[in-house]
Amino acid sequence: MSTTKGLEGVIAAQSSISSIIDDKLTYVGYTIDDLAENASFEEVVYLLWNLKLPNKSELDQIRKDLVTNMQVPDAIIDHLRSYDLSKVHPMAALRTAISFLGVLDEEADNLDEDANKRKAIRLQAQVATIVAAFSRIRKGQEPVKPKDDLTFAENFLYMLNGKNPEAIEVEAIDKALVLHADHELNASTFTARVCVATLSDIYSGITAAIGALKGFLHGGANERVMAMLSEIGEEENAIPYIKEKLANKELIMGMGHRVYRTGDPRAKHLQRMSSELTKLTGQEKWYNMSVKIEEYIKKEKGLPANVDFYSASVYHSLGIDHDLFTPIFAVSRMSGWIAHILEQYENNRLIRPRAEYVGPEIQTFIPLENRD
């Protein structure tokens, strides 16, 4: 029996949802570059769930379905209010809120295809509301209800800030949502598929996925990137800081990727958005600092930036709290998780790998009174 640490390079499933081949990322055969420049997040959600782009009436319908399902049960808001939110990480709050949604949903254990599609809409719509409500409640503000005439990205920013967003803000969030929507069998997606392969419910699968995304080697990386940039402070400190980190063999967050070798194709889109937003908000040092760090790491270690690296300065420029970066990742990746869960249900087989045993040989049991 051969083993691969971290399952690196192991093919664990067949999927029609997304692919990473020769460092090109596609959703259902459409390149991420094409989608990032041309598609709205709602179009991508439809694409991932239905394996085709929507026509106009289909797009209108999914937009309507999402906005009309955005309001969460009052019990969820009351639950968020019950926390000491100054001490709770928003990913922990989100994980628990999603699990609670499953308790409240009468269809939670109904695994019929139609029921799962209805739950999919509710989950995708309500995850944005939960993240925004958490942010406002911990600031002593009242949650904001969504508006029927706004897109998904517009509504998220509206519920977060309590005012209609600027066009550049909507473009940035919509693009980020598209770029983070799916990424083949990443850690959280694989976790979701393992969970529902037992024929557990969709809420359990999503809760498990959020638990995996919470880790800083996965979704938490963008938060760590901004913490690093904040610690560096000024452009002139960037290279000395990185040199010291490398000398101490410390990990530089947001650089390199397990799958990509020549570079993450998503990064350039958020790099351009970071350049525009930091210039617009007078915070160009964050972009300039990021570019210097990427160029130095690429030269010294051959590692280009991944999608987390520039998403940090994009979200910071939008005035978003740093610990909300990963929950926003979850708002987007919900679409991919759901797509993979639905695909797993369609052609299910329990995911049960083996482990290579490296412990002691067969031993003889020693009675307690004879043990040293």
Side-chain angles (χ1 to χ4, degrees):
M1 183 185 295
S2 62
T3 61
T4 303
K5 191 173 183 180
L7 298 181
E8 184 170 355
V10 173
I11 304 299
Q14 291 185 328
S15 178
S16 301
I17 298 166
S18 66
S19 70
I20 302 170
I21 301 172
D22 297 328
D23 281 5
K24 289 186 176 67
L25 171 63
T26 68
Y27 298 168
V28 197
Y30 295 95
T31 68
I32 197 63
D33 293 334
D34 206 1
L35 293 170
E37 294 302 326
N38 299 297
S40 66
F41 180 59
E42 291 93 332
E43 287 177 279
V44 166
V45 172
Y46 189 96
L47 172 66
L48 294 174
W49 295 359
N50 296 279
L51 304 183
K52 73 181 189 73
L53 286 169
N55 58 34
K56 187 178 185 307
S57 64
E58 290 165 336
L59 179 58
D60 290 343
Q61 187 62 53
I62 196 169
R63 280 183 167 153
K64 180 182 177 182
D65 290 343
L66 288 170
V67 74
T68 56
N69 282 278
M70 273 187 162
Q71 280 195 244
V72 298
D74 291 341
I76 296 293
I77 300 299
D78 293 341
H79 184 67
L80 291 176
R81 292 188 196 278
S82 73
Y83 293 142
D84 181 353
L85 296 184
S86 64
K87 297 179 181 178
V88 175
H89 192 283
M91 281 298 286
L94 178 61
R95 179 190 61 209
T96 305
I98 293 294
S99 183
F100 192 16
L101 277 179
V103 173
L104 300 172
D105 191 335
E106 294 179 356
E107 290 192 297
D109 292 320
N110 183 348
L111 299 187
D112 290 349
E113 183 179 349
D114 288 344
N116 280 332
K117 287 182 177 178
R118 289 191 293 271
K119 286 178 284 186
I121 285 288
R122 290 196 288 272
L123 275 162
Q124 184 63 69
Q126 291 172 12
V127 65
T129 310
I130 291 169
V131 172
F134 174 93
S135 176
R136 292 186 65 82
I137 289 169
R138 73 172 175 178
K139 293 176 180 177
Q141 300 169 330
E142 284 299 308
V144 174
K145 293 182 179 180
K147 287 183 175 180
D148 290 344
D149 60 340
L150 299 183
T151 66
F152 188 92
E154 287 171 331
N155 254 318
F156 177 62
L157 288 169
Y158 172 69
M159 290 188 294
L160 195 64
N161 299 318
K163 61 180 181 180
N164 287 333
E166 300 292 333
I168 185 69
E169 296 175 320
V170 175
E171 181 187 355
I173 285 295
D174 201 56
K175 196 179 294 291
L177 293 175
V178 168
L179 292 169
H180 286 94
D182 196 54
H183 206 227
E184 203 218 51
L185 278 191
N186 56 86
S188 55
T189 297
F190 186 60
T191 300
R193 292 191 74 136
V194 169
C195 181
V196 301
T198 69
L199 294 185
S200 188
D201 64 283
I202 192 170
Y203 289 99
S204 295
I206 297 298
T207 302
I210 292 171
L213 188 71
K214 184 173 179 286
F216 69 84
L217 289 182
H218 189 12
N222 51 13
E223 182 182 341
R224 292 292 187 98
V225 169
M226 200 61 225
M228 176 184 70
L229 296 178
S230 299
E231 189 176 341
I232 292 170
E234 301 298 334
E235 291 180 47
E236 59 268 24
N237 300 332
I239 301 307
Y241 177 95
I242 296 300
K243 283 182 177 179
E244 183 179 350
K245 290 288 184 184
L246 292 179
N248 293 332
K249 301 188 183 304
E250 295 181 52
L251 190 64
I252 307 297
M253 302 308 300
M255 304 304 300
H257 197 279
R258 170 72 70 84
V259 177
Y260 297 116
R261 293 295 173 258
T262 59
D264 186 334
R266 302 167 297 175
K268 61 181 176 289
H269 297 284
L270 288 177
Q271 181 178 1
R272 284 198 295 269
M273 191 55 64
S274 172
S275 176
E276 290 180 34
L277 280 170
T278 55
K279 191 176 296 182
L280 188 68
T281 58
Q283 302 179 80
E284 291 171 90
K285 71 173 185 178
W286 303 119
Y287 173 75
N288 295 337
M289 198 184 302
S290 300
V291 170
K292 285 183 178 180
I293 292 170
E294 182 187 14
E295 290 176 349
Y296 184 80
I297 296 290
K298 195 183 293 184
K299 184 181 77 171
E300 295 296 319
K301 296 293 181 181
L303 297 175
N306 60 43
V307 70
D308 296 309
F309 193 66
Y310 286 101
S311 68
S313 50
V314 167
Y315 295 154
H316 177 80
S317 299
L318 292 172
I320 295 171
D321 294 337
H322 298 171
D323 62 356
L324 288 182
F325 292 0
T326 310
I328 293 173
F329 192 151
V331 171
S332 169
R333 187 57 57 86
M334 180 69 76
S335 59
W337 291 334
I338 289 171
H340 281 268
I341 286 172
L342 296 178
E343 186 178 64
Q344 185 67 40
Y345 282 143
E346 284 177 8
N347 187 27
N348 188 55
R349 182 169 173 80
L350 180 69
I351 299 173
R352 203 296 192 188
R354 299 294 304 279
E356 181 183 10
Y357 178 69
V358 294
E361 300 286 333
I362 297 295
Q363 302 191 77
T364 301
F365 184 82
I366 303 170
L368 180 60
E369 60 270 17
N370 296 335
R371 296 176 206 161
D372 295 333

